[in-house]
Amino acid sequence: MHSKALLALLLSSAPLCAGSVDQWIDENAKSVVELYKELHAAPELSLMEEETAARLADAWERAGYAVTRGVGGTGVVAVLGNGDGPTLMLRTDLDALPVVEQTGLEYASKVFTTDKRGATVGVMHACGHDIHMSNLVGTARLLAENRGFWSGTLVLIAQPAEELGAGAEAMLADGLFARFPRPDYAVALHAANDLEVGKVSTCPGYFGANVDSVDIIVRGRGGHGAAPHTTADPIVIAASLVMDLQTIVAREIKPTEPAVVTVGSIHGGTKHNIIGDECRLQLTVRTYSDEVRKQVAEAIRRKAAAAAQSARAPEPTVEYSEGTPSLYNDPGLTARVTDTLKAELGDGQVERAEPMMGGEDFSRYGKAGVPICMFRLGTIAPGRLEAWEAAGETPPSMHSSKYYPDPEPALRTGMRAMAAIVQELLPASSGD
Ligand code: ZN
Ligand code: ZN
């Protein structure tokens, strides 16, 4: 056999690849975990991820990627071309949360900072974005050092402000899909607080919700608390509106369509014996489909107007701001990813993820026309899950001051998962 052909065959044969990936991970897991701990101890809030972004940009540059900084704010794009083939985008987010860490870990964050409103807040990676980042640095190095088993173009992005639902939009607006190779697929993982290390879970179709915020100002005509007949009481109007809003999901939306209308804040009045002029409500609204999203928005406006009308009160103000769009995992891509993960990690290690009503702006890359898949990565050592179960407790949720992953086994699985997905989506050409 021609030696070049033999080399190509060796490089593209699966058993050798699996061995080289595992070996690479064994040799490098320690440094990836170190990076994780450093990132964990130095969190930065959304839109302030300067140092974090610089660390990722430097690491990707050292690994041999063409790096562009400052895309959509602090966003970073790293490109590695490796022969013919499709383009795959892998995404990590960069930002942490205004939470005072209470894990008691030796590498716990002790960071306090001043937020955009001037308040002093603790900062913590309580959503596992530090796992996403260290995983994507490890994966980037692994793929750059093992170019024989894949062929195509890798685009890695470090996205700011996921927690504000703002970073993906900013990177797209700054030409992510125009200035850089447009991906044929985009894949991301998210740390899971309730899944054991070594496991992953996937969910085809809707995985995250449309997240909309609504501000309602119910207007009345104020006056003396002892003379209600001379007023239109905005608190009574608002109270009946709160109840009426609950009938949107209960009575107007098809029961098989998920939707949530939550009134999270209500403020009105100043004193016992004064009927005020207005009462303010703040709502969060969650839906999956565009149709239900529109239907709920129309119903909220209609019910607010009707509540005012029934009290002969002035027209209320309803300000509707559409936030993060729902995350729809492309079913075809998700099936491929699921099969690949089963083959790599074992059937029993790949669970079906439950769709959530939370938001994730990874959805925006899908809305921009790229098939996307986000899967969940187990981060909790089995002993901890068992202890909570024995105590009748649930694991600390994401965003909790007490959430922490077991980084080494989680990252080992994360890197294996990503490398297997790259091999599947950007296969090495076995031809020449
Ligand atoms: Zn989060
Ligand atoms: Zn998150």
Side-chain angles (χ1 to χ4, degrees):
M1 190 182 276
H2 195 277
S3 67
K4 191 173 165 231
L6 177 66
L7 184 67
L9 184 72
L10 283 172
L11 288 174
S12 65
S13 67
L16 179 72
C17 297
S20 61
V21 167
D22 289 346
Q23 195 190 338
W24 190 95
I25 292 172
D26 281 341
E27 286 166 9
N28 293 277
K30 211 172 150 225
S31 70
V32 177
V33 172
E34 252 160 52
L35 172 66
Y36 162 79
K37 289 180 178 173
E38 287 168 20
L39 289 166
H40 186 81
E44 293 176 298
L45 290 178
S46 308
L47 303 174
M48 301 166 122
E49 313 94 337
E50 309 280 346
E51 304 278 319
T52 310
R55 290 191 76 128
L56 261 73
D58 291 350
W60 285 341
E61 217 156 51
R62 275 198 303 274
Y65 290 68
V67 169
T68 307
R69 296 155 200 254
V71 180
T74 57
V76 181
V77 180
V79 180
L80 184 63
N82 184 35
D84 292 338
T87 297
L88 169 63
M89 183 175 97
L90 302 176
R91 174 264 212 174
T92 177
D93 29 22
L94 289 163
D95 52 337
L97 289 155
V99 171
V100 179
E101 178 158 354
Q102 289 172 27
T103 60
L105 295 168
E106 66 180 43
Y107 52 89
S109 162
K110 294 172 185 69
V111 174
F112 282 79
T113 193
T114 307
D115 71 8
K116 297 271 179 200
R117 292 168 309 168
T120 301
V121 292
V123 191
M124 173 186 177
H125 271 298
C127 200
H129 298 184
D130 44 1
I131 285 282
H132 311 169
M133 288 187 273
S134 44
N135 187 65
L136 205 46
V137 168
T139 301
R141 290 176 49 210
L142 193 169
L143 293 168
E145 291 168 31
N146 293 276
R147 295 189 203 194
F149 73 64
W150 62 281
S151 179
T153 302
L154 266 178
V155 177
L156 312 180
I157 65 165
Q159 181 209 298
E162 188 284 321
E163 296 293 356
L164 303 179
E169 195 174 22
M171 289 191 81
L172 286 165
D174 201 5
L176 176 63
F177 288 170
R179 291 162 56 196
F180 306 95
R182 186 184 166 86
D184 298 295
Y185 321 96
V187 174
L189 56 73
H190 201 295
N193 66 309
D194 55 0
L195 190 63
E196 152 181 341
V197 287
K199 290 189 173 186
V200 294
S201 62
T202 63
C203 173
Y206 287 114
F207 183 50
N210 291 310
V211 178
D212 299 324
S213 298
V214 191
D215 287 88
I216 301 176
I217 305 174
V218 172
R219 298 183 196 289
R221 274 185 304 280
H224 200 294
H229 59 294
T230 65
T231 72
D233 185 342
I235 289 184
V236 173
I237 300 167
S240 85
L241 175 58
V242 170
M243 299 311 289
D244 202 21
L245 289 171
Q246 297 312 309
T247 66
I248 298 173
V249 174
R251 302 289 81 179
E252 295 194 30
I253 303 300
K254 199 168 150 190
T256 49
E257 289 282 352
V260 179
V261 177
T262 291
V263 180
S265 160
I266 174 165
H267 286 93
T270 53
K271 194 176 184 297
H272 307 69
N273 61 354
I274 297 173
I275 292 170
D277 285 317
E278 60 181 46
C279 183
R280 291 168 180 259
L281 311 181
Q282 292 184 314
L283 286 62
T284 189
V285 177
R286 309 293 169 107
T287 53
Y288 282 148
S289 73
D290 288 347
E291 196 190 337
V292 172
R293 189 184 209 178
K294 274 193 212 119
Q295 207 185 338
V296 174
E298 185 278 326
I300 288 171
R301 291 182 191 282
R302 169 164 40 81
K303 287 184 181 297
Q309 205 181 30
S310 89
R312 284 182 308 216
E315 187 74 5
T317 307
V318 180
E319 254 178 48
Y320 211 97
S321 50
E322 289 203 346
T324 305
S326 58
L327 195 164
Y328 186 78
N329 277 331
D330 181 81
L333 176 61
T334 304
R336 279 178 81 181
V337 166
T338 305
D339 289 347
T340 304
L341 292 172
K342 283 182 176 169
E344 172 67 24
L345 305 172
D347 273 8
Q349 302 297 91
V350 182
E351 294 189 359
R352 173 85 172 205
E354 256 191 65
M356 49 178 188
M357 294 311 277
E360 229 304 341
D361 73 355
F362 184 63
S363 62
R364 288 196 187 272
Y365 307 114
K367 288 275 176 190
V370 173
I372 61 169
C373 176
M374 170 173 270
F375 63 96
R376 300 174 84 229
L377 174 72
T379 63
I380 309 293
R384 291 167 68 202
L385 285 172
E386 280 155 21
W388 286 315
E389 197 169 342
E393 289 170 16
T394 52
S397 65
M398 305 309 293
H399 292 199
S400 158
S401 60
K402 296 194 169 67
Y403 165 74
Y404 69 92
D406 291 290
E408 183 169 343
L411 287 165
R412 281 175 172 268
T413 305
M415 289 187 283
R416 277 177 72 191
M418 282 302 190
I421 289 166
V422 170
Q423 262 184 295
E424 164 67 17
L425 298 177
L426 307 183
S429 45
S430 48
D432 80 327

